[in-house]
Amino acid sequence: MKAVKVSETSVLQNRFGVFKHSDWIGKPFGSKVLSNKGGFVYLLAPTPELWTLVLSHRTQILYIADISFLITYLEIVPGSLVLESGTGSGSLTTSLARAVAPTGHVYTFDFHQQRAASAREDFQSTGVDSLVTVGVRDIQGEGFPDEYSGLADSVFLDLPQPWLAVPSAGKMLKQDGTLCSFSPCIEQVQRTCEALKSNFRDIRTFEVLLRTFEVHEGKIDSCQGEEGLSVRSPPCKRRHRSGEGSTMQDSSSSPTIKVRPCADARGHTGYLTFSRLQCLS
């Protein structure tokens, strides 16, 4: 896949040939378009899921399994106000923007000025800049800006030392607001949980492991049994039986659907620690 900004005078050139952008304009998403050599590509709508797979990796990113899980557990809905640190490559931020649309907003912070500027440009190109505000700030050292105190529905932390930002995050959240911290190492999780104990409750940590399967049609040697079920033949010479009480017959190379785990399945990415701000009595 490749993210392409369409212009009437531009072309996409790859090993399948030359594709004129002018041939794409006006076609619905999902269309199959041909090159000058007869190769083809599909025109796909730019969604947060696809953007996660093609964006420039300025940092390690969160992928679809973690993103979908944390958006659900943080209870992010249209109209929510979300604080995020750090922005990184903007993979999560794009999905957060869609979740809070059309009336919510995401305020995301990164300590690295150039990284924040690049993320801001990406959000403009993907059309979510009206839902996202990017700030340059060291959240670990300075905390979140006081102007968001008590206004945030959810806070997300992706920091080397998230426990340092926990006190500030607690001040930003509404009563009963939710917090999530993403950490690749279990030692980070332990220290973060210790910091959460004072003002947060319902502390839980998850590791999301996604297993993908390939499904395709193929042929296998099989034989037809009495119940009409197709079974793989044993590793021995097959014999054709005839006679009363036996209906076993050869039906080698019958078409079937094959399913197997993908070889490039992604393993451990990180731990997601969730908690909820304690209500004042």
Side-chain angles (χ1 to χ4, degrees), residues 7 15 18 29 59 81 88 108 116 118-119 151 153 160 165 179-180 188-189 193 215 235 240 260:
S7 173
R15 63 192 179 96
V18 177
F29 287 120
T59 60
L81 189 152
T108 180
S118 298
L151 299 177
D153 296 286
L179 178 146
C180 176
Q188 294 169 300
V189 174
C193 288
V215 181
H240 179 75
R260 65 180 182 184

Side-chain angles (χ1 to χ4, degrees), residues 58-60 84-90 93 107-120 123 133-140 142 144-145 158-160:
R58 295 179 288 272
T59 60
Q60 179 63 34
E84 178 194 19
S85 181
T87 310
S89 301
T93 316
Y107 295 91
T108 180
F109 299 90
D110 201 292
F111 77 93
H112 193 281
Q113 189 166 1
Q114 183 55 50
R115 206 154 54 204
S118 298
R120 195 177 291 112
F123 299 146
T133 299
V134 182
V136 179
R137 190 178 178 92
D138 178 11
I139 299 299
Q140 284 187 174
E142 304 174 54
F144 289 98
D158 184 0
L159 301 168

Side-chain angles (χ1 to χ4, degrees), residues 143-219:
F144 289 98
D146 291 336
E147 61 190 279
Y148 306 116
S149 181
L151 299 177
D153 296 286
S154 303
V155 172
F156 176 77
L157 304 175
D158 184 0
L159 301 168
Q161 297 174 296
W163 54 90
L164 297 178
V166 166
S168 175
K171 295 176 182 177
M172 300 301 113
L173 285 168
K174 296 177 180 177
Q175 289 300 309
D176 207 37
T178 53
L179 178 146
C180 176
S181 174
F182 176 85
S183 297
C185 302
I186 196 64
E187 292 81 7
Q188 294 169 300
V189 174
Q190 291 170 332
R191 294 197 63 174
T192 303
C193 288
E194 285 295 327
L196 289 169
K197 285 181 180 178
S198 57
N199 293 316
F200 289 82
R201 59 182 174 84
D202 195 21
I203 302 171
R204 305 184 186 193
T205 297
F206 301 90
E207 180 185 23
V208 182
L209 299 176
L210 183 67
R211 193 178 188 192
T212 306
F213 284 76
E214 295 175 349
V215 181
H216 59 89
E217 187 174 354
K219 291 185 177 181

Side-chain angles (χ1 to χ4, degrees), residues 8 36 41 107 115 124 129 140 150 164-165 170 198 220 234 255 266:
E8 191 167 5
N36 61 330
V41 294
Y107 295 91
R115 206 154 54 204
Q124 289 174 351
D129 53 307
Q140 284 187 174
L164 297 178
S198 57
I220 59 172
R266 187 173 287 108

